[in-house]
Amino acid sequence: MPENKEESPKNIFQRLSQRGFWRSLGLLFALIGPGIITSNVDNDAGGITTYSLAGAQFGLSLLWILIPITIALIIIQEMCARMGVVSGKGLSDLIRERFGAKITVYLMIVLFLANLGNTISEFAGIAASLEIFGVSKYISVPFGAFFVWWLVVKGNYKSVEKVFLVACLFYISYIISGFMGKPDWGQIGKALITPTIRTDPAFLTMAVGIIGTTIAPWMQFYLQSSVVDKGLKAEDYAYTRIDIIAGSFTVNIVAFFIIMLCAVTLFQNGIKIETAKDAAQALAPLAGAYCTWLFAFGLLNASLFAASILPLSTAYTICEAFGWESSVNHKFTEAPQFYWLYSLMIFLGAAIILFPNMPLVAIMFYSQVINGMLLPFILIFMLLLINDRRIMGDYVNGKLMNGVTWLTVGVLILLSVAMVISAVLS
Amino acid sequence: MAVNAEPQDFLFLSEILGQPIIGPEGRSMGKIMDLVVTLAEPYPIVTDALLSTGEGQKTAMFYRFPIIGEKQSPFRVHSVCADDFRAPSLLENELLLKDALLDKQIVDTHGAKVLRVNDLQFLTARQSLHLVHVDVGFRGLMRRSGLEKAVDLFLHGLFDYDLPNQFISWKFVQPISSPDLLRLKIAQDRLSRIHPADLADIIEDLDMRQRSAFFKSLDVETAAETLEETDPKIQVSLIEDMNAAEASDIIEEMSLSEAADLLGDLPREKAEGILKEMERDMAEDVKELLAHPEEEAGGLMTSAFLYFLPSEAVDKVISTIRHEAEDMDFIYYVYIVDENERLLGMISLKELLVAPGEALLSELMDDRVVSVHLDEDKDEIAELFAKYGLMAIPVVDDGDRIKGVILFKNLLEVVAPHLGKN
């Protein structure tokens, strides 16, 4: 085990400057990726819908919540990345070895269902965004499913990762469309730093919804696996931390612009919407047709991006837990379980959208509920694992870090439970 | 498999864990948390059980595992004495099964695969438990999660399909969950039976920590052969985890061109450290190869080959080959050069073997030798290999002096890197 303990930011900068600026910058770009990709996938179809609704229904009053979310996201993802770097193992691997087969089997079944639900909503996002451009879902969804499947099965991971990194850039379309709404920055800045809490159920549900869509169970598995896959070592950990902080900020900046745009346009004009597609269409008369197109394009990119990653991450996670061959670098016959799981998720995700009269809203809703029920377990497992010296050695949480994490996790668990209960009651 | 005359005498670890041991007065002495085995050939024998804190006991203890009679579940003992207990620390050659194996990864040395252990199977023979099989199948997983009956009912009812057991005999199991396990005596002989190319695949399947522990457990020669077959990125990470002395021992055993490629991929300081530790001759050869870009003839070639003056006789040449072959990367062609090392011709080993012993190379050699210049591009070289059907092509400098030989194998790795590696 390496002897150096938790590095303080000061040490990191010292080391960065010792290595020379350009060398460090080069290393940073070589090692960056997992954090940024994970965070950006998080702004998926479900996320964009939630942010649009939050802005349209509650104006700027929920904007402040993005600040605590950013902090929580950094804390949780930092733990995942640290576990990946130190143990060299994925999260499902660690859970299996520490908590045994039984817990793992049931956890994986629930995770599969939750992620399948999320995948369905990604394909719904593909359908909705392309309908704005006049493409029928019977064309867009099968084509999108094939594209996503082909990307991973026929491509190799290096190129796949590059495609995904480029996809992250397209989130700028939301920032541009945000500016097109001609916002009043003074008012927005004030809303951002003024916590508004209302006690009506609709407001609370939306607050929990934003948190739920930003911190999802699958992310922890995906992030840790990508960190391991990249072969990051403890010495490079400083860069990984930068990657994660940058990622957590980007995801919330995008969220900020979506909420803000919908608040200054739809909310101020009293327009009611139910989906992200409604939001995009309602923007045209208020902010111009280009704004609609940018918004729809952003939704398409986000949905495609997440539809590629979610099935992949699920297949990885499950195969890793059960010791099946799992890598995009293997051929179909070498890793049959991996490719079957992957293909099955894409096929089901796409096929369900194409069924006429499928209760899509209900499916998405219940997948959010399953996510919410799963998250507390995963967070608790993570905390137990990261404090296990047999796994983490000297890299276990410090006292302060543990206090902060337990608090964060406690709040998240409370909110998840509240969301599940309120969902079941309503 | 070895012994399965009486299938009813098999027990799974999952059936034993959590069971109480019942004392003479019919009271539970504690639950079985784990089993201790002593590694013995062919199968490890269960010697003790790790007991949970039961009545009258403050801490977890090792308790001598009771003699197994017939149909003995739960486990009963007729008498208890203090000698049966000992402090929970392992002796050499002892393993805690749940801790070391259950849910952990192992290497199946027969199929050369990394698998996860779902359960362990014991055979009761001579009144004790012997670890015979490792269960890696889906059935074992379902048994562990209490879904075996449901899955059976489902698969049998719908598809008339019975889920088979997938067992691996203990003889082919190499535990890898901790570096200590790789240091056990069983490790070396089991791993040495695997082909280096398969070892390389296994290494690629492991996580980073396991990789370097696994790699370090190989003997130097096997390690070198395995390293040659491993993906360049993983090569680098394996070598970076070693100190320069260990690394140089392994790299010295590799072929010259592979060694040069690997050192070229390492960070400069690390590569220089290793070169300093290496034998001087080899270090200098490697440095020379490193001077050329990897995708050109100079970077593809090896300098461990044989060349002679035209005035040499066949017998002398053959005896030199016999003497030097050990250190050469390639011996099937012999090149003929003048005093200034200018390439004159070549002759194959086959032609040498059928030629009369006293004949001179100048009489036998083929002077229509195909050669390439140091900066020739890999695609051009591939063309030449295909056109002339050669095993190797010599590389010359501006003065037509021979510098090295490109082997078909090394070219293939650059032109078609996807072949043979996952």
Side-chain angles (χ1 to χ4, degrees):
Chain A
M1 221 23 62
E3 60 283 354
N4 59 327
K5 295 216 171 164
E6 281 252 330
E7 272 193 285
S8 72
K10 199 178 131 213
N11 289 343
I12 295 171
F13 283 112
Q14 252 169 20
R15 281 196 27 204
L16 293 187
S17 54
Q18 273 162 15
R19 278 194 182 174
F21 178 74
W22 290 111
R23 176 108 202 275
S24 299
L25 201 66
L27 254 173
L28 179 63
F29 277 109
L31 299 173
I32 214 155
I36 297 223
I37 292 181
T38 310
S39 299
N40 278 295
V41 183
D42 201 31
N43 272 339
D44 59 352
I48 292 168
T49 308
T50 313
Y51 303 140
S52 314
L53 294 180
Q57 291 174 10
F58 300 99
L60 295 171
S61 59
L62 270 166
L63 214 50
W64 64 274
I65 209 169
L66 294 175
I67 291 174
I69 286 180
T70 312
I71 296 167
L73 199 59
I74 292 174
I75 288 174
I76 287 169
Q77 298 213 17
E78 190 276 335
M79 287 203 294
C80 267
R82 180 146 46 102
M83 274 196 276
V85 167
V86 175
S87 70
K89 292 177 182 186
L91 185 55
S92 59
D93 191 338
L94 289 177
I95 289 179
R96 170 75 191 268
E97 293 193 351
R98 170 78 197 266
F99 303 105
K102 194 169 189 171
I103 286 177
T104 313
V105 167
Y106 291 108
L107 194 70
M108 289 302 131
I109 293 175
V110 178
L111 186 77
F112 179 81
L113 292 176
N115 289 359
L116 181 63
N118 290 341
T119 309
I120 295 171
S121 64
E122 307 314 339
F123 280 106
I126 294 176
S129 59
L130 282 170
E131 271 169 9
I132 292 174
F133 295 108
V135 181
S136 152
K137 70 174 179 180
Y138 293 100
I139 295 168
S140 61
V141 170
F143 189 77
F146 181 75
F147 172 74
V148 160
W149 182 84
W150 172 84
L151 198 63
V152 168
V153 176
K154 296 294 166 198
N156 70 51
Y157 187 74
K158 275 253 153 247
S159 57
V160 172
E161 197 184 41
K162 276 181 201 133
V163 171
F164 289 153
L165 267 173
V166 171
C168 290
L169 287 177
F170 287 120
Y171 283 96
I172 290 176
S173 67
Y174 279 113
I175 298 177
I176 301 171
S177 53
F179 279 101
M180 289 170 119
K182 299 183 199 71
D184 169 2
W185 291 107
Q187 191 195 354
I188 291 162
K190 208 175 140 215
L192 187 61
I193 50 168
T194 326
T196 320
I197 297 176
R198 277 161 43 190
T199 47
D200 55 304
F203 185 89
L204 286 178
T205 311
M206 186 55 77
V208 176
I210 296 176
I211 296 168
T213 185
T214 316
I215 301 172
W218 68 264
M219 290 171 65
Q220 325 309 331
F221 292 97
Y222 179 72
L223 176 65
Q224 196 168 331
S225 300
S226 349
V227 166
V228 172
D229 233 44
K230 267 212 134 179
L232 297 177
K233 298 191 174 185
E235 304 95 84
D236 308 322
Y237 183 59
Y239 298 98
T240 308
R241 205 180 274 185
I242 296 176
D243 180 27
I244 282 164
I245 294 173
S248 301
F249 271 102
T250 359
V251 64
N252 283 294
I253 289 171
V254 172
F256 166 84
F257 275 97
I258 298 174
I259 296 181
M260 186 271 285
L261 176 65
C262 291
V264 299
T265 51
L266 309 181
F267 177 73
Q268 281 172 6
N269 291 287
I271 295 170
K272 289 273 166 279
I273 59 160
E274 276 184 357
T275 63
K277 187 186 162 196
D278 295 347
Q281 280 170 335
L283 283 171
L286 300 166
Y290 286 116
C291 190
T292 296
W293 291 345
L294 271 175
F295 201 92
F297 176 74
L299 181 61
L300 173 65
N301 175 58
S303 308
L304 262 181
F305 191 10
S308 321
I309 295 236
L310 264 171
L312 188 65
S313 152
T314 314
Y316 251 122
T317 306
I318 293 178
C319 288
E320 188 179 69
F322 299 146
W324 298 330
E325 200 79 68
S326 64
S327 163
V328 284
N329 298 327
H330 281 94
K331 297 200 188 79
F332 211 107
T333 47
E334 289 167 331
Q337 294 97 339
F338 175 77
Y339 282 106
W340 272 114
L341 277 168
Y342 177 72
S343 307
L344 185 73
M345 277 195 77
I346 293 183
F347 176 77
L348 283 179
I352 287 173
I353 296 294
L354 296 180
F355 259 91
N357 303 326
M358 244 326 173
L360 279 186
V361 177
I363 289 175
M364 279 184 225
F365 177 73
Y366 282 111
S367 80
Q368 283 301 319
V369 174
I370 299 176
N371 267 330
M373 293 196 306
L374 195 55
L375 189 65
F377 291 99
I378 291 178
L379 292 177
I380 291 172
F381 286 149
M382 278 172 56
L383 271 169
L384 292 176
L385 287 167
I386 202 146
N387 281 309
D388 188 335
R389 277 196 182 271
R390 284 180 47 164
I391 299 168
M392 297 300 292
D394 286 338
Y395 288 89
V396 290
N397 269 358
K399 271 211 182 91
L400 179 69
M401 183 70 183
N402 244 351
V404 177
T405 0
W406 271 111
L407 189 73
T408 314
V409 169
V411 171
L412 284 176
I413 290 173
L414 219 69
L415 288 173
S416 298
V417 172
M419 180 173 80
V420 171
I421 291 175
S422 79
V424 172
L425 288 183
S426 60
Chain B
M1 293 292 102
V3 204
N4 52 3
E6 296 160 87
Q8 70 273 23
D9 282 337
F10 283 111
L11 260 179
F12 284 110
L13 181 63
S14 58
E15 296 170 316
I16 298 173
L17 293 179
Q19 294 283 333
I21 291 189
I22 308 290
E25 292 114 49
R27 281 201 317 219
S28 164
M29 295 164 52
K31 283 183 179 160
I32 301 175
M33 308 293 289
D34 206 337
L35 292 181
V36 182
V37 291
T38 302
L39 293 174
E41 288 298 330
Y43 299 114
I45 300 165
V46 176
T47 50
D48 298 83
L50 177 66
L51 281 190
S52 68
T53 46
E55 281 173 57
Q57 258 174 260
K58 297 268 175 340
T59 51
M61 293 284 272
F62 279 172
Y63 176 68
R64 183 175 297 156
F65 199 75
I67 285 170
I68 298 281
E70 270 173 47
K71 298 263 166 213
Q72 209 172 12
S73 179
F75 303 99
R76 285 174 191 285
V77 287
H78 301 299
S79 61
V80 182
C81 61
D83 282 355
D84 291 338
F85 291 91
R86 66 181 169 104
S89 63
L90 290 172
L91 301 175
E92 207 179 318
N93 257 20
E94 282 187 334
L95 267 189
L96 265 174
L97 288 182
K98 177 173 178 250
D99 190 54
L101 288 171
L102 199 62
D103 294 318
K104 308 291 191 296
Q105 288 182 310
I106 52 135
V107 170
D108 165 12
T109 59
H110 185 64
K113 270 199 190 116
V114 182
L115 297 163
R116 201 175 277 285
V117 177
N118 292 328
D119 212 340
L120 299 173
Q121 198 187 34
F122 302 97
L123 174 73
T124 36
R126 275 159 282 149
Q127 298 191 313
S128 50
L129 286 176
H130 301 256
L131 172 61
V132 285
H133 291 142
V134 167
D135 185 338
V136 294
F138 193 65
R139 189 175 197 94
L141 194 64
M142 290 299 106
R143 186 184 321 110
R144 290 280 306 286
S145 38
L147 295 171
E148 193 181 18
K149 283 210 177 97
V151 170
D152 266 351
L153 214 63
F154 175 75
L155 288 176
H156 195 82
L158 270 179
F159 306 107
D160 199 20
Y161 176 77
D162 292 310
L163 201 57
N165 268 313
Q166 265 176 283
F167 292 148
I168 298 174
S169 167
W170 173 257
K171 283 184 288 191
F172 301 119
V173 170
Q174 172 58 54
I176 49 172
S177 59
S178 82
D180 298 338
L181 293 173
L182 282 158
R183 258 178 251 128
L184 288 176
K185 236 175 51 199
I186 52 166
Q188 270 74 27
D189 20 324
R190 278 186 191 172
L191 295 181
S192 64
R193 284 191 214 124
I194 307 178
H195 191 280
D198 288 328
L199 282 174
D201 280 349
I202 291 171
I203 283 182
E204 285 168 21
D205 277 346
L206 296 175
D207 65 58
M208 236 158 38
R209 305 266 169 283
Q210 290 172 333
R211 265 177 202 163
S212 88
F214 185 89
F215 184 68
K216 282 178 184 163
S217 78
L218 302 172
D219 63 80
V220 171
E221 215 162 297
T222 317
E225 287 177 60
T226 306
L227 206 55
E228 289 189 7
E229 305 286 342
T230 313
D231 180 80
K233 256 190 157 173
I234 297 172
Q235 281 185 343
V236 170
S237 80
L238 287 174
I239 291 296
E240 278 189 321
D241 280 349
M242 303 182 122
N243 62 42
E246 289 173 316
S248 69
D249 286 345
I250 292 171
I251 292 176
E252 276 170 10
E253 294 289 323
M254 293 171 73
S255 80
L256 208 50
S257 57
E258 295 273 1
D261 287 347
L262 170 54
L263 285 166
D265 288 341
L266 287 173
R268 178 166 293 196
E269 307 101 79
K270 185 85 194 181
E272 277 166 6
I274 292 172
L275 279 168
K276 262 186 214 132
E277 293 283 332
M278 279 167 63
E279 287 167 27
R280 177 169 293 180
D281 289 355
M282 185 163 179
E284 255 153 39
D285 288 346
V286 168
K287 275 185 201 157
E288 209 179 305
L289 293 182
L290 275 175
H292 305 285
E294 219 173 297
E295 304 227 317
E296 288 179 6
L300 288 167
M301 69 186 189
T302 172
S303 47
F305 69 104
L306 291 164
Y307 52 95
F308 297 92
L309 291 171
S311 53
E312 300 272 11
V314 168
D315 271 344
K316 174 92 184 303
V317 171
I318 290 180
S319 84
T320 313
I321 294 177
R322 180 170 287 147
H323 205 242
E324 300 281 335
E326 172 78 40
D327 294 328
M328 294 296 129
D329 287 347
F330 186 72
I331 58 158
Y332 302 104
Y333 298 157
V334 162
Y335 297 94
I336 294 107
V337 296
D338 67 11
E339 294 81 10
N340 295 323
E341 295 193 345
R342 270 203 295 266
L343 184 60
L344 298 175
M346 63 166 279
I347 183 166
S348 73
L349 188 60
K350 178 181 165 187
E351 286 164 322
L352 280 173
L353 289 173
V354 298
E358 64 286 355
L360 297 181
L361 290 181
S362 55
E363 300 159 16
L364 298 165
M365 73 179 190
D366 185 348
D367 54 11
R368 294 165 302 175
V369 52
V370 179
S371 65
V372 294
H373 195 260
L374 274 171
D375 58 7
E376 191 71 272
D377 177 73
K378 62 178 172 35
D379 295 322
E380 298 293 322
I381 303 168
E383 287 283 328
L384 292 176
F385 268 108
K387 183 171 174 194
Y388 295 102
L390 295 161
M391 281 195 274
I393 293 180
V395 181
V396 294
D397 66 5
D398 293 330
D400 214 21
R401 285 181 294 265
I402 191 158
K403 285 291 163 191
V405 169
I406 301 170
L407 308 188
F408 182 66
K409 185 182 91 167
N410 295 353
L411 177 85
L412 195 65
E413 276 168 22
V414 177
V415 181
H418 53 281
L419 293 178
K421 290 187 178 167
N422 291 318

